[in-house]
Amino acid sequence: MDKWECEACGYVYDPELGDPDSDIAPGTKFEDIPDDWECPICGVDKSMFFKFEG
C-alpha cells in the first residue's frame, strides 16, 4: 500500500499504521479515508497530500 505525504508539513500517512487519533484503522488505504479527514499535524485536507516516493 502506498504512503502519502502532506505537502504542507511533511507528515506521512502510512496505511499500515492508519491514524488512530482520527479513528482510521490500520490497513486503511489513503483512498478509503473519508474526504473530510484532515492531516493530524497541520489540519489541511486530503487534497494537500501526494504519493510518498521516499
Side-chain angles (χ1 to χ4, degrees), residues 6-11 38-45 48-49:
C6 178
E7 188 174 325
C9 74
Y11 167 80
E38 298 175 340
C39 175
I41 304 299
C42 70
V44 298
D45 64 35
M48 294 291 292
F49 280 73

Side-chain angles (χ1 to χ4, degrees), residues 4-14 18-24 30 32-49:
W4 291 75
E5 184 174 350
C6 178
E7 188 174 325
C9 74
Y11 167 80
V12 175
Y13 174 76
D14 183 344
D19 179 13
D21 293 337
S22 298
D23 294 324
I24 306 296
F30 187 78
D32 295 336
I33 296 173
D35 289 336
D36 62 352
W37 177 81
E38 298 175 340
C39 175
I41 304 299
C42 70
V44 298
D45 64 35
K46 283 178 66 176
S47 69
M48 294 291 292
F49 280 73

